[in-house]
Every structure is written in C-alpha cells, then in structure tokens.
C-alpha cells in the first residue's frame, strides 16, 4: 500500500484523550459509514440492529452486545461489502409509559378531554399523579422519548458504532405504525389474525393482557389451606364421611369453583366421579370430574377447578367443557356482583376486596363455619409474573387479538421450526432454545394490549340498533389510509358524529403489543412497501444480533411475521450474545439495581478500552463486568499509539523489499494471524479474532521491535519495510475493535479512513510469503532467556552478556538472526552448538 500522507501529521506526544470527539465529527462530516444504495444485493451486508428500549438510560450490557455487532459491521465493510447498518428506537409500550408517569407525575385517563395548554407539574409526585387525556399523555411520551433518543445517539456515537445515522427509525414513528398496521391487516385478511374472548393472563398493576413469551416464574410466599367440601347424604352412606378435602393456596377463589378434579386412576376418588359436592360457604353444587393432569401425590390428591386460578385451571375448563364463574376483575379486586349461581349474601363479604383482603376474609369465614381443617401451612411456590410487573398475574376473561404462531396449528409449527433450521446460529447451540420454545407453545400469540402509547389496532366495529358493537363484522381502513388511530379517525362510510351512536361505529380501544411492531424491524428499516428499491437490496437481511433471553420473543416473533408475509426467514444469520454479570455472577438488570451506566466508563477509560472489554466476551457466553479488563484495553490502545510512533519514526525506504530472515519470519507469522482472524470473523467469533491479533501484537512489540530496532536505526531497508508493512496490517486487524486509535494512527501516514480500507489478505504483496515463522519463535525464545538471566542477576536489561551459548535442534534458526539477537541482548560473544533433536537452550553469562 502506497504511503501518501506526510509524517509531519504525527504528533510529538500522541494521546488517547479527545480522540472520540475528533473522529466522531470527522466520520459524520465525511460520511464514512453512509450506506451506498447503488450496490447490488450480493454486495450488501444488512443488519437488523436491535432497537434499544428508550425508557431511561443505556447500561453496560447494551455497550457489550452492540459492540459485538459493530465489530462484525466493520469487518464486513472492510471486506468490501456495503453495510446497511441502521439504528432504531423502541419507544412504545409499558416501559415508556411507566417512565412518563414517574418523570412527569401524570397518569392517563382516556375519559378526560384533551387540554392543548396542559403543562405537567413543576414538582411531580409519583404517588399523586395528575390524570390527563390520552392525547396529552401520548404527547408527553413523545416528548420524553425524543430527549432520550438524543442522549442514546450521543452515547452510541461516542462508543464508535459505525451506524448510518441518517437511517434511524422509531417503533412509534409514522413508518413503523404504517408497517405494523399493514402487516396486521394482511394477517387479518388471510385469517392469521383473529379476535377471541377467552381466559387471559392479566397484570393487575398495568391492567393489560400479557403474552406467553412475557412470563417469568418467581418464588412467592403463600400457604396451603385444607378445606372441606360438603358431601350429599348418599355419598356419606357410601363411606366418604361428611366432607372431601382439597388443599389450595387460593381459598378466595371458592366462589369461582366450578368442579373438583382427581386423576382417573385414583381409587380414593373414583366412586365420586359423576357426582356433585357443595362448595363451602356458598353451597354451590359442583361436579367431581376426572382428568389426567390431576396429581394424586400432591396435597390430598383432589383439587378444585376455578375460573381461573392458574393455567391448569384453563386447561381443565376448556377440555372438560365446564361453566365460567369469573370473580376477579381487571383491577385485581373481586367483582362487585356475584357470578351466576353464587348466592349474593355470602359473596357480599368479599365483593370489591383485593385478592389479599378477600383471602383473609374467606379464611375467617371458613374457620367460623368449620370448613377449614387445621391452620394454613406456609409455602414458597413458583408464581407467574409479567416480566416487568411487581404483582402475580391473574387470569381474567377478556376479548383479545391473536396472531397464529403454531401454538394451535401443528403444520404451522413445523414450518416455523424449519425456518429456524435454515438460519445459521452463532453459537450453533442457540438453535435448541428456539426449537424448545416453538415446540412448547401452548397457544397463539396474544398481541393486543390495554394501554395507550402504542400502535393502535386499525379496526372499528359497527354498532347495532342498541349501540352495541358487532364484533364479528370489523371495519378496516384501506392500506392507503395508514397509519390510522381509530380513536380519532373515522372509518370509511361514516362521519365523526356517528361515533358511539346506534348504527354508527366504535373504535377498537387496544394497541398492539410492542413485540408486534418490533417483530417487523427488518421490514421497517428496509422500507417495506415504502421504498421498493431499498427493500430489494437489503431484505432478507444478513444478520440479526440479539441477546439469548429474547429468542422466544423478538427472534421468534420476527420469524413468524416474515414467514406469514414473505415466506422466507427474515435473515441468514442469528448472532446471540450473553448477559453481563456483576461480580457476584448475577445478571445485571435495572430491576435488580446492579447495572453500571457506561458514560463514566467511556470518559474515564476511553471508548476503545471499553470496546476491548466487550469484544473479549465470546458469542453467546455470559461475561462478568471487569474494569481490570477495560484497563488492559486502555494499555493496548496506548501501546498502539506508541509503537506506531516508533515505527513511523524511521524514514521510509520507498519500495524496498524485505530480505532478512527474521523480518520475513515475522511477516510469515503475521500472515497466519490474518488467516486465523479472517476465519474467526467469518464464523462470527470476533473474540477469537481479537485474541489472535492482540497476542501477535504484544509479541511483535516485546520481541520483534527489540530485535530489529538497532538495524532500523541504522536505516536498514528490510527492517523498516517489514515494520511498516506489519503496522499497516495490524492497524487494519485492530480497526473493528479499536476504531479511534487505529483511525488516529492511520491518519498520520495514509489517506482516507482505515475503516474504508481493505481487510488484510494473507497473500498481500510484501507480507513475507517466503518467511519461516519458526525463525522468530526461536530467536524470541533465546531473547527471553537472556532477559531472565539478567533479571536473576539483578542487572539492567542493557547490561552486557559476555558469552551466550545457544544449543539444540533449532540453534541454526537462531544463527539466521545472530546479529539482531546480539544487538538486542548486548551480547559480546555468541557460541552456537547444534544438537539433533535436543530442545533449544540458551546460557547467558552476564558481565559483572
């Protein structure tokens, strides 16, 4: 490669501080990472970049995983591909709403009118939130996310992400809303989206439905209560006593009981199958039924089926065709009115109470009636939570929208499993997580949410003569009208005056789950049905990078949408990153309060140092946060500056050839490093590419520079040419990991950006094809033994070695670099003793 820039551009005392500001501005001005859409699809490498949730601040886990993606983007760019690398912001959904509520001290009340002059409180009180209209609330959401997005972009730029910042999008933006609603309408037209009234997992804090993929089990304290159900006289005569006892942690659901269930093979209860018993306190007759999911060895072996206490209740209810007696409302309190068939008198004791309050009152009543046997037994048990919630989920009957995902369709499930097998997974074992999730699906994908800041379900319903919605005849807008908000927009053929009136219309009040939009990030970023030319050049995308815990949500849902709409996988590769762990080996997360924010780390250590730590984490592997490793990265960056200044301090010999054996040996070893780093990157193992490059660099500095610096100071053309060739290659190898320091050094002697230069190839001219790597290995080993002798003699490394005896099978290799070795070790007398098959040894006599 020809040198073009004058050495005068090299500073006297190069330093890391301030490099980020200089190069971030220069890259933006020069469009270094701007995507060139003139290239064909086979010349483009496109990335479905994860849009971070805009609900506060980024943490070090984001830096970790996004650095991994950036190293791959930079490598592909240097390999000659035009890299499509946009950035999105995931700014709708519950996290944003919660942040707005806390930040501004407000809450959304859709019944309130819009106030165009509304100003949030000067001193927000999270405990006394001001109710505001939905439109006012959304305006505050948009205002806060815009501020967060600016802060996020500034941090990403400082980290050195090689994103094309002219191609950002937001999941609540117009393009995203249009794409989400278009995909939904097509799902609806093809029968892949449907509405159903059914038992739904419900978060009583957020008052919204929760999908299967958003669940997590947490240990929760409770107590088993042994409760008697009254038997009929005929049952008593058959030897069953007065009561049959169940054990439950949820006695408050007795008014919701619709049956008792036992295993069909349980001899204890087989005579009761087909008969009825009476619920305690309420006296409702319920059947005793058999089902294979009942557990004979759990509690008393017979359980009550309630509508609904847990997911198993839902299964029993559905498969046994039982009636419904719902008692828990959307707010987590027992409904004010008793369900059909339940006496209003005893129910009034618990009506309107919280679940906890109702449980306490029911237990008191059971004690008083004698239906509680013994005292409750405390127990810790796994309970289902919404992953962002603080209270156990309830199951309520609601009307919700679903998209088919194979949970109830074996053929579709097999298709989606096959889509997963067509992906290249990095690391490969992550595919098992995908398959386990798909094979374990228990139902279709619930996509509707009872929230405010999200993409509206684009549906209205006609109203009948009584003003009631006709749900089986939804009204949809034409795609040309998208995006729409049914709460303010009017369906075709109606006027605003007809909203809510008989024979008029009503809007679907729900918004889409945030995953229903995020599952379309490839389409949104690629301009689906908005920019056909761009879409053809980048879709299906090459890479989806993401964390392993959202394989079940983001990755799978994206595969579902692409399969349904396009009939292809959305990308070719899936690169999965691990978690960041704190020093106690616990996952870092905002909810646990153990996260580290990255800005201070970037300011203290420099972006290259933080990137070095991040890139050292292997694909798919959890990594402990380690400031010690960050400090190593900073030392590496400083060493690159200083070693580069040393190398470039020798005047170039123009087109001189490398001729000396130790120079050729070093370049031959570097050729191997280039081949290994390239192979690692092509396998998405950026950590191995960094490790191989770094290991060679430190050996290059510690051994080779010391061996040849005397010759270089004397103006030896071979030494100078080898040094500069190695520096050129090393800067390009390090560029994906340490973009700032490599760009700085590159600017001292090259034109253009190192990040737009070609990735090194093993066969590049002047890279030592004729060299033998064993020469440098042997000479370096002898040099280390010389240093060891001086260290043991407690003398300066510059001290003279009066006699050096080198023996062994590789002694002849050492002789090829005898002069360099003697100069580096200050050796007076060099003695060579060859011995076939013997290991290489060196005996140094240090002058007194």
């Amino acid at each position: 490669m020809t040198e073009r820039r004058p050495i005068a551009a090299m500073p006297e005392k190069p330093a890391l501080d301030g490099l980020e500001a200089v190069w971030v501005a220069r890259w933006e001005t020069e469009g270094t990472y701007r995507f060139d859409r003139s290239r064909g699809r086979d010349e483009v490498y496109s990335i479905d970049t994860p849009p971070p949730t805009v609900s506060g601040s980024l943490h070090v886990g984001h830096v970790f995983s996004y650095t991994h993606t950036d190293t791959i983007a930079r490598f592909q760019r240097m390999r000659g591909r035009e890299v499509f690398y946009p950035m999105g912001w995931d700014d709708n959904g519950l996290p944003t709403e919660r942040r707005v509520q806390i930040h501004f001290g407000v809450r959304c009340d859709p019944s309130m009118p819009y106030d165009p002059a509304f100003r949030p409180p000067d001193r927000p009180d999270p405990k006394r939130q001001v109710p505001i209209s939905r439109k006012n609330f959304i305006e505050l959401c948009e205002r806060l996310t815009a501020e967060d997005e600016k802060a996020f972009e500034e941090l990403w730029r400082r980290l050195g992400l090689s994103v094309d910042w002219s191609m950002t999008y937001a999941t609540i933006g117009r393009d995203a809303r249009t794409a989400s609603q278009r995909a939904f309408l097509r799902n609806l037209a093809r029968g892949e989206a449907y509405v159903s009234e059914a038992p739904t997992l419900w978060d009583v804090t957020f008052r919204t439905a929760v999908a299967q993929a958003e669940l997590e089990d947490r240990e929760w304290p409770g107590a088993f209560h042994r409760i008697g159900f009254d038997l009929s006289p005929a049952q008593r005569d058959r030897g069953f006593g007065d009561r049959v006892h169940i054990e439950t942690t949820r006695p408050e659901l007795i008014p919701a009981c619709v049956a008792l269930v036992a295993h069909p093979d349980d001899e204890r209860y087989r005579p009761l199958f087909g008969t009825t018993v009476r619920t305690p306190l309420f006296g409702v007759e319920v059947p005793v039924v058999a089902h294979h999911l009942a557990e004979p060895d759990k509690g008393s072996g017979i359980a009550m089926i309630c509508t609904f206490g847990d997911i198993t209740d839902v299964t029993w209810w559905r498969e046994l065709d039982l009636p419904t007696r719902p008692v828990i409302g959307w707010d987590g309190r027992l409904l004010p009115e008793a369900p059909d068939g339940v006496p209003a008198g005893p129910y009034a004791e618990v009506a309107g109470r919280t679940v906890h309050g109702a449980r306490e009152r029911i237990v008191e009543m059971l004690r008083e009636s004698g239906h509680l046997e013994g005292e409750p037994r405390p127990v810790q048990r796994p309970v289902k939570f919404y992953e962002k919630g603080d209270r156990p989920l309830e199951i309520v009957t609601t009307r919700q929208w679903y998209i088919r995902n194979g949970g109830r369709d074996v053929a579709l499930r097999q298709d989606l499993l096959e889509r997963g097998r067509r992906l290249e997974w990095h690391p490969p074992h992550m595919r098992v997580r995908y398959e386990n999730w798909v094979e374990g699906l228990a139902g279709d994908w619930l996509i509707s949410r009872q929230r405010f800041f999200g993409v509206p379900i684009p549906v209205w319903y006609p109203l009948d003569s009584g003003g009631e919605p006709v749900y089986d005849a939804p009204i949809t807008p034409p795609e040309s009208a998208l995006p729409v908000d049914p709460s303010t927009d009017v369906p075709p053929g109606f006027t605003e005056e007809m909203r809510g009136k008989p024979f008029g219309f009503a809007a679907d009040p729900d918004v889409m789950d945030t995953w229903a939009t995020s599952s379309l990030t490839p389409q949104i970023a690629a301009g689906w049905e908005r920019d056909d030319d761009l879409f053809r050049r980048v879709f299906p995308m090459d890479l989806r990078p993401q964390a392993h815990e959202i394989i079940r949500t983001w990755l799978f849902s994206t595969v579902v949408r692409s399969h349904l709409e396009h009939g292809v996988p959305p990308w070719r590769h899936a690169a999965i990153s691990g978690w960041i762990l704190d020093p106690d080996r616990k996952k870092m997360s905002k909810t646990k309060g153990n996260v580290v924010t990255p800005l201070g780390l970037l300011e203290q250590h420099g972006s290259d140092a933080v990137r070095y730590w991040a890139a050292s984490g292997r694909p798919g592997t959890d990594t402990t946060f380690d400031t010690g490793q960050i400090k190593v990265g900073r030392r590496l960056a400083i060493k690159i500056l200083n070693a580069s200044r040393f190398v470039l301090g020798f005047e170039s010999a123009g087109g001189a050839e490398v001729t000396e054996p130790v120079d050729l040996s070093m370049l031959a070893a570097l050729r191997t490093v280039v081949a290994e780093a390239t192979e690692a990157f092509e396998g998405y193992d950026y950590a191995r590419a960094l490790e191989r490059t770094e290991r060679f660099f430190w050996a290059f500095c510690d051994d080779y520079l010391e061996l040849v610096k005397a010759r270089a100071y004397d103006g030896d053309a071979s030494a100078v040419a080898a040094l500069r060739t190695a520096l050129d290659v090393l800067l390009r190898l390090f560029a994906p990991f340490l973009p700032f320091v490599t760009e700085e050094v590159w600017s001292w002697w090259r034109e253009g950006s190192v990040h737009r230069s070609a990735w090194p190839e093993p066969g590049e001219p002047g890279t030592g094809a004729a060299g033998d790597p064993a020469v440098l290995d042997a000479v370096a080993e002898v040099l280390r033994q010389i240093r060891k002798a001086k260290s043991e003699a407690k003398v300066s490394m510059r001290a003279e070695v009066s006699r050096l005896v080198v023996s062994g099978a590789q002694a002849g290799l050492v002789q090829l670099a005898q002069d360099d070795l003697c100069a580096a070790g200050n050796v007076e007398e060099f003695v060579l003793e060859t011995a076939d098959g013997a290991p290489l040894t060196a005996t140094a006599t240090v002058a007194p």
Side-chain angles (χ1 to χ4, degrees):
M1 188 175 292
T2 305
E3 299 170 17
R4 299 183 180 89
R5 287 198 177 220
I7 296 300
M10 184 170 61
E12 275 294 318
K13 294 182 179 180
L16 297 179
D17 296 338
L19 291 186
E20 292 90 349
V22 170
W23 288 110
V24 165
R26 184 88 58 90
W27 290 333
E28 179 63 25
T29 300
E30 297 180 357
T32 304
Y33 308 123
R34 195 64 51 85
F35 174 66
D36 179 2
R37 64 185 296 160
S38 68
R39 305 279 287 276
R41 181 64 189 92
D42 58 345
E43 299 177 289
V44 169
Y45 186 88
S46 53
I47 301 173
D48 183 17
T49 319
T53 301
V54 184
S55 59
S57 60
L58 295 167
H59 57 77
V60 75
H62 292 102
V63 167
F64 179 72
S65 57
Y66 282 75
T67 297
H68 299 168
T69 306
D70 189 60
T71 63
I72 294 168
R74 290 178 178 278
F75 167 75
Q76 292 290 344
R77 193 178 287 113
M78 295 176 74
R79 290 286 277 176
R81 307 281 291 279
E82 191 60 34
V83 176
F84 179 70
Y85 188 14
M87 179 62 72
W89 310 116
D90 190 5
D91 46 12
N92 68 46
L94 288 173
T96 298
E97 290 190 20
R98 174 184 278 184
R99 176 160 157 72
V100 167
Q101 289 170 346
I102 295 172
H103 186 82
F104 291 112
V106 299
R107 63 179 175 85
C108 182
D109 182 348
S111 67
M112 295 193 65
Y114 174 64
D115 179 2
F118 174 75
R119 297 291 182 271
D122 293 333
R123 296 184 178 179
D125 183 353
K127 296 181 179 180
R128 300 181 64 182
Q129 295 173 344
V130 177
I132 59 175
S133 72
R134 181 174 182 269
K135 186 174 181 180
N136 285 125
F137 186 77
I138 290 175
E139 287 177 351
L140 291 181
C141 289
E142 292 172 341
R143 171 177 154 186
L144 192 58
T145 54
E147 294 173 5
D148 286 344
E149 287 164 12
K150 291 178 183 177
F152 279 28
E153 179 176 334
E154 183 178 344
L155 189 141
W156 282 148
R157 285 179 181 268
R158 181 170 187 136
L159 183 64
L161 296 192
S162 57
V163 163
D164 182 347
W165 291 105
S166 69
M167 307 189 81
T168 58
Y169 66 88
T171 57
I172 200 66
R174 183 179 181 84
D175 292 340
R177 283 184 284 129
T178 300
S180 300
Q181 292 183 336
R182 179 191 301 117
F184 171 83
L185 291 176
R186 294 187 183 183
N187 292 142
L188 182 61
R190 292 191 295 259
E192 297 153 359
Y194 64 93
V195 69
S196 176
E197 187 156 345
T200 305
L201 287 160
W202 187 264
D203 188 288
V204 298
T205 301
F206 293 112
R207 300 195 186 185
T208 187
V210 176
Q212 181 183 353
E214 299 169 308
L215 303 180
E216 63 181 34
D217 286 336
R218 300 180 197 167
E219 289 297 312
W220 193 253
F224 275 116
H225 303 74
R226 185 174 174 85
I227 300 170
F229 280 62
D230 294 326
L231 299 177
S232 67
Q235 292 165 327
R236 294 176 198 146
D237 291 344
R238 294 169 63 184
F240 281 99
D242 292 336
R243 292 172 180 157
V244 61
H245 290 84
I246 61 102
E247 292 191 12
T248 180
T249 60
R250 303 210 60 182
E252 72 277 9
L253 293 181
I254 290 174
C257 179
V258 293
L260 296 190
V261 62
H263 196 278
D265 298 331
D266 194 328
E267 296 291 342
R268 294 172 295 174
Y269 303 110
R270 184 177 287 176
L272 287 177
F273 296 153
T275 67
T276 62
V277 297
R278 287 184 176 273
T279 62
L281 305 180
F282 302 94
V284 177
E285 285 200 16
V286 295
V288 181
V289 296
H291 196 280
H292 67 278
L293 289 181
E295 301 175 85
D297 57 349
K298 183 176 180 181
S300 61
I302 189 167
M304 65 175 180
I305 302 174
C306 303
T307 52
F308 297 92
D310 58 23
I311 293 175
T312 307
D313 276 344
V314 176
T315 302
W316 282 330
W317 167 79
R318 181 179 290 119
E319 295 185 5
L320 296 170
D321 193 24
L322 296 170
T324 304
R325 291 194 183 103
V327 296
I328 296 180
W330 289 17
D331 59 357
R333 293 178 176 271
L334 269 68
L335 295 171
E337 302 294 333
D340 290 344
V342 175
Y347 184 81
E349 294 290 323
V350 295
R353 292 178 182 252
T354 65
V355 167
H356 178 75
R359 183 181 306 136
E360 289 185 331
R361 181 60 186 134
I362 286 282
V363 172
E364 289 175 358
M365 295 168 69
L366 290 170
R367 281 198 187 98
E368 295 167 358
S369 68
H371 287 90
L372 179 66
E373 183 176 297
E375 286 302 308
R377 293 181 290 109
V379 66
Q380 288 282 124
R381 70 200 194 285
V383 174
K384 297 205 176 295
F385 280 74
Y386 172 44
E387 60 188 0
K388 294 181 174 65
D390 301 319
R391 296 166 66 184
L393 293 174
E394 297 293 349
I395 299 178
V396 300
T397 300
T398 61
R399 184 180 162 282
Q400 303 287 346
W401 283 98
Y402 297 83
I403 289 180
R404 303 187 192 279
N405 67 352
R408 302 184 185 279
D409 184 333
V410 175
L412 177 57
R413 182 179 307 191
Q414 291 304 313
D415 288 343
L416 295 171
L417 286 169
E418 181 57 31
R419 294 295 181 209
R421 295 183 186 114
R422 288 180 59 185
L423 291 175
E424 291 288 336
W425 293 81
H426 309 282
H429 71 264
M430 288 295 175
R431 191 184 84 185
V432 175
R433 298 196 182 198
Y434 173 89
E435 293 182 343
N436 288 344
W437 173 253
V438 178
E439 290 169 347
L441 286 169
D444 286 329
W445 176 17
L446 188 157
I447 66 159
S448 49
R449 293 293 182 272
Q450 291 65 52
R451 299 302 298 174
F452 313 109
F453 192 52
V455 178
I457 301 285
V459 167
W460 299 267
Y461 304 100
L463 302 181
D464 61 18
S465 58
E468 294 298 319
V470 182
Y471 288 120
D472 58 359
I475 305 167
T476 58
E479 288 189 11
S480 60
L482 301 178
V484 299
D485 183 347
S487 68
T488 56
D489 294 327
V490 176
F494 293 83
T495 63
E496 180 59 36
E497 291 71 25
M498 302 171 72
R499 187 184 297 272
K501 306 286 180 59
F503 300 111
F505 69 94
D508 191 300
D510 293 347
V511 298
M512 296 184 196
D513 165 29
T514 186
W515 296 113
T517 296
S518 297
S519 61
L520 296 166
T521 52
Q523 291 88 340
I524 295 167
W528 173 51
E529 304 259 339
R530 171 173 52 85
D531 188 336
D532 292 341
D533 176 74
L534 178 64
F535 193 74
R536 284 194 301 269
R537 296 178 194 275
V538 302
F539 186 87
M541 292 189 165
D542 292 278
L543 176 65
R544 156 61 71 82
Q546 66 164 72
H548 57 68
E549 77 270 21
I550 53 174
I551 288 174
R552 72 188 193 280
T553 48
W554 191 34
L555 190 147
F556 173 62
S557 63
T558 311
V559 171
V560 170
R561 303 305 285 279
S562 184
H563 171 76
L564 296 177
E565 183 64 35
H566 309 287
V568 298
W571 345 267
R572 296 177 174 87
H573 299 268
I576 311 299
S577 61
W579 284 337
I580 290 300
L581 307 178
D582 66 15
D584 294 327
R585 302 292 296 172
K586 295 179 181 177
K587 179 195 174 186
M588 282 193 175
S589 70
K590 291 181 180 178
T591 56
K592 293 180 180 178
N594 62 348
V595 297
V596 175
T597 54
L599 184 58
L601 293 172
L602 298 176
E603 291 173 343
Q604 180 181 359
H605 302 285
S607 298
D608 282 340
V610 176
R611 287 175 63 102
Y612 168 85
W613 159 75
S616 299
R618 297 200 174 278
T621 302
D622 295 345
T623 302
T624 302
F625 175 68
D626 185 1
T627 53
Q629 188 79 344
I630 294 175
K631 292 176 182 177
V632 171
R634 183 170 178 84
R635 287 198 297 271
L636 173 62
I638 291 172
K639 189 67 173 180
I640 290 173
L641 280 180
N642 293 333
S644 300
R645 189 175 189 283
F646 175 79
V647 169
L648 295 176
F650 301 113
E651 187 174 346
S652 172
E657 293 187 3
V658 178
T659 57
E660 293 299 310
V662 74
D663 302 334
L664 291 168
S665 176
M666 180 273 294
L667 293 177
L670 183 55
R671 283 166 55 88
T672 301
V673 172
V674 168
E676 292 176 344
T678 303
E679 181 183 19
F681 255 129
E682 288 176 343
Y684 291 79
D685 192 348
Y686 42 80
R688 182 170 178 268
L690 173 58
E691 184 272 331
R692 289 296 295 115
T693 302
E694 183 189 9
R695 188 197 308 170
F696 176 89
F697 175 74
W698 285 115
F700 172 81
C701 294
D702 293 343
D703 299 328
Y704 180 73
L705 288 184
E706 291 300 315
L707 285 167
V708 303
K709 68 180 181 181
R711 199 156 33 95
Y713 278 126
D714 288 340
D716 180 81
S718 176
V720 173
L723 286 168
R724 289 178 169 242
T725 298
L727 179 62
D728 182 287
V729 172
L730 284 167
L731 289 175
R732 287 181 283 154
L733 288 175
F734 274 125
F737 309 103
L738 312 175
F740 294 103
V741 70
T742 52
E743 187 78 298
E744 172 69 9
V745 173
W746 192 262
S747 72
W748 296 347
W749 65 318
R750 301 292 195 208
E751 285 187 344
S753 170
V754 67
H755 305 299
R756 282 290 184 176
S757 65
W759 181 257
E761 299 286 347
E764 283 185 0
T767 53
D772 181 359
V775 173
L776 180 57
D777 289 342
V779 178
E781 175 57 30
V782 172
L783 182 58
R784 282 191 286 273
Q785 294 192 35
I786 292 173
R787 291 169 178 158
K788 181 180 179 182
K790 292 181 179 181
S791 178
E792 291 175 347
K794 297 181 179 180
V795 298
S796 167
M797 289 295 120
R798 296 190 181 91
E800 182 181 290
V801 174
S802 59
R803 179 180 173 86
L804 176 66
V805 179
V806 178
S807 63
Q810 292 185 312
L813 296 177
V814 178
Q815 189 177 25
L816 294 174
Q818 176 181 331
D819 291 344
D820 288 336
L821 178 62
C822 290
N826 197 11
V827 176
E828 180 65 23
E829 180 183 2
F830 179 88
V831 179
L832 187 69
E833 297 177 356
T834 59
D836 292 342
L840 179 67
T841 61
T843 304
T845 303
V846 180

